[in-house]
Amino acid sequence: MSSENFQFWNEIKFTPIKWAEQEFGDEGGGFWAVAKYKNFVLYYNDIEEGFNISEFENEGKIKEYSAEQDELQFALIKLRKI
C-alpha cells in the first residue's frame, strides 16, 4: 500500500462493525464496515470476498450492494477519488 493510501486509511478507518444491507446482507447479519469517508462506507463483502464502497444515508445501513472483489488498497484508491 502506498504511503498516501496508508495515511488516508488511518484517517477514515474505524473498528469493524456489521452494517445492514437489505439485498444480500440478511443471511450473515450484514457486512463488516471498516471505514467511512464523506457519505460513503467501505465494507468487506464476505460473499464475494472483497472490499466494496457504497453510499449511506443512515449510519449502520449500506445503501447499495456491490460485488467487487477488491483488495483493500484498491478500494481505498477508488474511495479517495470520490
Side-chain angles (χ1 to χ4, degrees), residues 38-55:
K38 299 181 181 177
N39 61 323
F40 293 88
V41 61
L42 175 61
Y43 68 96
Y44 183 76
N45 180 333
D46 58 327
I47 297 169
E48 299 295 333
E49 298 183 355
F51 288 91
N52 294 270
I53 299 166
S54 173
E55 284 188 272

Side-chain angles (χ1 to χ4, degrees), residues 21-82:
E21 192 282 320
Q22 66 182 5
E23 191 174 356
F24 295 102
D26 290 342
E27 184 176 324
F31 295 107
W32 289 104
V34 297
K36 56 184 177 174
Y37 177 65
K38 299 181 181 177
N39 61 323
F40 293 88
V41 61
L42 175 61
Y43 68 96
Y44 183 76
N45 180 333
D46 58 327
I47 297 169
E48 299 295 333
E49 298 183 355
F51 288 91
N52 294 270
I53 299 166
S54 173
E55 284 188 272
F56 71 91
E57 294 174 357
N58 300 307
E59 291 252 346
K61 188 172 181 184
I62 297 166
K63 188 174 179 179
E64 296 177 7
Y65 178 84
S66 295
E68 301 294 327
Q69 296 175 326
D70 287 339
E71 294 178 21
L72 178 59
Q73 63 183 330
F74 300 120
L76 286 171
I77 290 169
K78 290 178 184 178
L79 189 57
R80 285 180 62 199
K81 293 180 180 181
I82 293 175

